[in-house]
């Protein structure tokens, strides 16, 4: 179960995630094993002790943390937590819901010094919807934009998505990634960036059953949890993992 979810959630690099300390002073290497334990303990609780449902994995309003990790999450954790032992905690359900809002997953699918609408949007498309995205043009030079302290990350990536050479693929990824913009590159909640309010709205298109505009990852998580396309995709992910073969008719 740990192995499957590590592969499915693309968390193989979680142990080596690093961030620019000048941008994220709250980050240090001691957080990595805590992020990992939170995800593992939450998954194993849902699968082995709870109802075992995908809906709970995606929308639960609780997680497992110790004092250090709860302090990192700050106001998002509603319970008082003390000590080094992990315990079940209640989350602010307006800010956090299930796996997709866990700091470890959000930090893994982000850049060194900024969040990444591209990585996060691609993750949802690939791993939760089983979409096959087109490859970028062979002659396209792919570079992460330099930090622009006069703009939000969303504003910068909207400009990239407007490039005709990029729009075909990025129109499928970036708007989904924008829905996660309340979480910075280490997964902490933010209401503002560079003095500008966060706009966490994004439109999901070209899906079987959840096309529409969503405001924030909690709203999106609940839609994903009810999507037949997502349920079929995750079942296919389990099939490939368990049988070590592709899905065929």
């Amino acid at each position: 179960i740990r192995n499957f979810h590590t592969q499915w959630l693309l968390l193989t690099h979680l142990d080596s995630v690093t961030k620019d300390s000048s941008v994220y002073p709250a980050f240090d290497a001691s957080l990595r094993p805590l992020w990992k334990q939170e995800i593992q303990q939450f998954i194993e609780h849902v699968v082995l002790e709870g109802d075992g449902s995908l809906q709970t994995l995606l929308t639960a309003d609780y997680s497992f943390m110790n004092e250090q990790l709860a302090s990192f999450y700050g106001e998002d954790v509603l319970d008082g937590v003390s000590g080094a032992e992990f315990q079940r905690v209640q989350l602010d359900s307006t800010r956090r819901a299930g796996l997709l809002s866990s700091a470890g997953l959000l930090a893994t699918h982000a850049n060194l010094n900024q969040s990444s609408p591209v990585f996060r949007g691609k993750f949802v498309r690939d791993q939760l919807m089983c979409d096959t995205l087109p490859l970028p043009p062979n002659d396209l030079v792919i570079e992460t934009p330099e930090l622009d302290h006069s703009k939000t990350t969303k504003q910068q990536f909207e400009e990239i998505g407007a490039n005709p050479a990029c729009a075909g693929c990025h129109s499928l990824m970036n708007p989904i990634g924008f829905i996660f913009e309340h979480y910075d590159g280490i997964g902490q909640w933010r209401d503002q960036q560079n003095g500008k309010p966060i706009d966490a709205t994004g439109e999901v298109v070209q899906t079987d059953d959840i096309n529409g505009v969503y405001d924030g990852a909690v709203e999106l998580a609940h839609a994903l949890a009810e999507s037949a396309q997502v349920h079929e995709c995750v079942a296919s992910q389990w099939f490939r993992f368990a049988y070590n073969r592709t899905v065929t008719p």
Side-chain angles (χ1 to χ4, degrees):
I1 291 170
R2 282 188 180 183
N3 193 3
F4 167 75
H5 285 90
T6 297
Q7 293 186 44
W8 172 47
L9 301 174
L10 305 180
L11 294 173
T12 52
H13 300 297
L14 178 56
D15 290 335
S16 58
V17 165
T18 189
K19 301 293 175 179
D20 184 338
S21 59
S22 66
V23 179
Y24 300 118
F27 173 79
D28 68 69
S30 68
L31 284 168
R32 293 196 294 252
L34 303 182
W35 287 342
K36 184 176 183 180
Q37 184 172 344
E38 178 195 3
I39 294 171
Q40 289 178 340
Q41 198 159 333
F42 170 73
I43 289 169
E44 289 165 26
H45 170 81
V46 172
V47 175
L48 301 177
E49 300 173 38
D51 63 12
S53 74
L54 179 61
Q55 288 95 329
T56 301
L57 286 174
L58 293 177
T59 65
D61 61 357
Y62 65 88
S63 189
F64 292 83
M65 303 181 191
N66 65 3
E67 183 175 0
Q68 181 183 350
L69 189 57
S71 176
F72 170 82
Y73 276 97
E75 295 179 356
D76 295 0
V77 179
L78 302 181
D79 297 332
V81 182
S82 61
E85 294 297 317
F86 270 59
Q87 57 194 271
R88 178 168 168 161
V89 298
Q90 194 69 26
L91 301 175
D92 182 342
S93 61
T94 66
R95 293 189 176 190
R96 304 276 173 177
L99 285 169
L100 298 183
S101 64
S102 63
L105 186 144
L106 292 162
T108 300
H109 302 297
N111 292 312
L112 176 72
N113 57 6
Q114 59 184 313
S115 60
S116 176
V118 175
F119 289 162
R120 291 171 179 176
K122 187 176 188 303
F123 167 78
V124 172
R125 283 282 180 188
D126 287 346
Q127 304 307 114
L128 290 170
M129 297 179 179
C130 290
D131 284 344
T132 301
L133 296 170
L135 295 173
N138 291 330
D139 59 349
L140 186 66
V141 178
I142 301 174
E143 295 180 348
T144 302
E146 295 293 327
L147 285 180
D148 184 339
H149 295 291
S150 67
K151 300 176 182 177
T152 64
T153 301
K154 181 177 181 179
Q155 289 173 326
Q156 285 190 270
F157 279 85
E158 281 178 329
E159 294 171 2
I160 294 172
N163 183 336
C166 309
C169 191
H170 282 269
S171 65
L172 299 176
M173 298 186 298
N174 293 19
I176 294 177
F178 295 152
I179 298 170
F180 292 87
E181 272 301 287
H182 270 301
Y183 312 110
D184 64 17
I186 57 174
Q188 286 188 315
W189 181 270
R190 59 185 177 184
D191 289 309
Q192 292 190 337
Q193 183 185 12
N194 297 328
K196 301 179 186 298
I198 289 294
D199 177 4
T201 58
E203 184 176 9
V204 180
V205 298
Q206 295 187 32
T207 70
D208 292 347
D209 51 12
I210 58 167
N211 291 344
V213 175
Y214 297 90
D215 186 356
V218 172
E219 188 174 306
L220 177 63
H222 281 269
L224 293 168
E226 298 298 324
S227 165
Q229 179 178 351
V230 172
H231 281 249
E232 291 171 7
C233 175
V234 177
S236 296
Q237 301 278 18
W238 265 113
F239 179 89
R240 288 196 290 265
F241 174 81
Y243 285 91
N244 193 27
R245 52 166 287 193
T246 58
V247 178
T248 63

